[in-house]
């Protein structure tokens, strides 16, 4: 009889302790006693993690085809400090609450937000804000959007898709290492560096 170690990674079981020259038979069934300490209530706060704090500004790159002046006014209210300027307008979206993610589903929880520089309209979620922006400033046939791939955050003076932050948090994949020193003249910003 062999002693196996089972580890639940949140989605599947990892099994160790099987001798190298052996493998488990397909459809093997056996009973394992588990101490009560390994269980927690389903849907608990332990399943929710903070992705970005309240007050964080995220950016949606847009190529406007409508009301370009209004979009550029909003973009000017919160320009990110970047190594390279973007070839698109960067609509700043301010989080009014912490943006959290459900570990089990890997989905964002709703959080109120607004376009930075415009407190007149609040959105129930980041997805709602991004869809509204697409309808207001572009001619895309559909306002469907994948916020993990299209909304950005600033890391080391670079814009990264928020999917990178999710991968870091849930899968342990590190964010890109800091790049070479920044030449201040190359910064795209609304205020001088500190």
């Amino acid at each position: 009889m062999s002693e196996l170690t089972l580890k639940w990674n949140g989605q599947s079981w990892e099994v160790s302790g099987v001798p190298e020259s052996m493998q488990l038979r397909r459809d093997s069934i056996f009973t394992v006693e588990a101490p009560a300490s390994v269980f927690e209530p389903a849907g608990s706060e332990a399943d929710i993690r903070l992705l970005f704090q309240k007050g964080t500004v995220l950016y949606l790159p847009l190529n406007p085809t409508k009301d370009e002046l209004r979009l550029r006014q909003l973009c000017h209210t919160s320009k990110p400090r970047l190594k390279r300027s973007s070839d698109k307008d960067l609509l700043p979206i301010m989080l009014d609450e912490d943006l959290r993610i459900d570990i089990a589903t890997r989905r964002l929880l709703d959080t109120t937000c607004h376009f930075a520089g415009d407190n007149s309209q609040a959105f129930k979620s980041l997805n709602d804000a991004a869809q509204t922006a697409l309808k207001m400033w572009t001619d895309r046939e559909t306002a469907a959007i994948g916020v993990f791939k299209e909304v950005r955050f600033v890391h080391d003076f670079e814009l990264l898709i928020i999917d990178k932050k999710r991968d870091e948090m849930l899968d342990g994949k590190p964010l890109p290492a800091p790049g070479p020193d920044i030449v201040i003249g190359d910064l795209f910003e609304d205020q001088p560096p500190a």
Side-chain angles (χ1 to χ4, degrees), residues 51-58 93-100 111-114 125-126:
L51 197 61
F52 294 103
Q53 291 182 335
K54 171 184 177 177
T56 299
V57 178
L58 302 175
I93 302 172
M94 172 83 69
L95 298 177
D96 297 328
E97 300 172 320
D98 290 343
L99 181 58
R100 298 181 180 277
T111 186
T112 57
C113 56
H114 66 277
S125 68
L126 184 58

Side-chain angles (χ1 to χ4, degrees), residues 23-188:
Q23 66 180 17
L24 287 174
R25 282 190 195 154
R26 184 180 178 98
D27 299 325
S28 295
I29 298 175
F30 50 93
T31 303
V32 178
E33 284 190 34
S37 63
V38 301
F39 294 97
E40 62 185 26
S44 71
E45 278 296 311
D47 293 340
I48 307 298
R49 291 214 186 136
L50 175 68
L51 197 61
F52 294 103
Q53 291 182 335
K54 171 184 177 177
T56 299
V57 178
L58 302 175
Y59 296 91
L60 176 63
L62 294 171
N63 283 323
T65 57
K66 308 184 262 191
D67 201 7
E68 294 174 37
L69 180 60
R70 178 67 181 133
L71 175 62
R72 295 210 168 99
Q73 288 171 337
L74 291 174
C75 292
H76 187 68
T77 63
S78 183
K79 287 185 180 180
R81 294 178 64 188
L82 299 174
K83 291 178 184 175
R84 292 177 295 278
S85 61
S86 174
D87 59 344
K88 295 184 178 185
D89 290 304
L90 300 174
L91 175 65
I93 302 172
M94 172 83 69
L95 298 177
D96 297 328
E97 300 172 320
D98 290 343
L99 181 58
R100 298 181 180 277
I101 188 167
D102 183 310
I103 296 170
T105 64
R106 302 178 65 89
R107 299 181 89 172
L108 295 176
L109 301 180
D110 286 349
T111 186
T112 57
C113 56
H114 66 277
F115 300 142
D118 181 4
N119 294 326
S120 65
Q121 186 174 13
F123 303 99
K124 65 180 180 172
S125 68
L126 184 58
N127 193 63
D128 186 32
Q131 286 181 342
T132 300
L134 292 178
K135 290 175 191 171
M136 291 175 70
W137 289 296
T138 74
D139 287 330
R140 273 175 55 165
E141 287 188 26
T142 175
I145 185 167
V147 293
F148 281 108
K149 300 290 186 192
E150 296 192 52
V151 176
R152 312 286 200 270
F153 70 102
V154 178
H155 170 74
D156 188 37
F157 303 102
E158 302 255 358
L159 283 175
L160 300 178
I161 58 176
I162 62 174
D163 196 37
K164 298 273 185 197
K165 186 72 171 173
R166 175 174 64 173
D167 287 348
E168 176 198 38
M169 180 170 292
L170 301 184
D171 301 328
K173 295 179 183 175
L175 293 173
D181 290 339
I182 297 167
V183 178
I184 298 300
D186 293 340
L187 284 177
F188 171 68

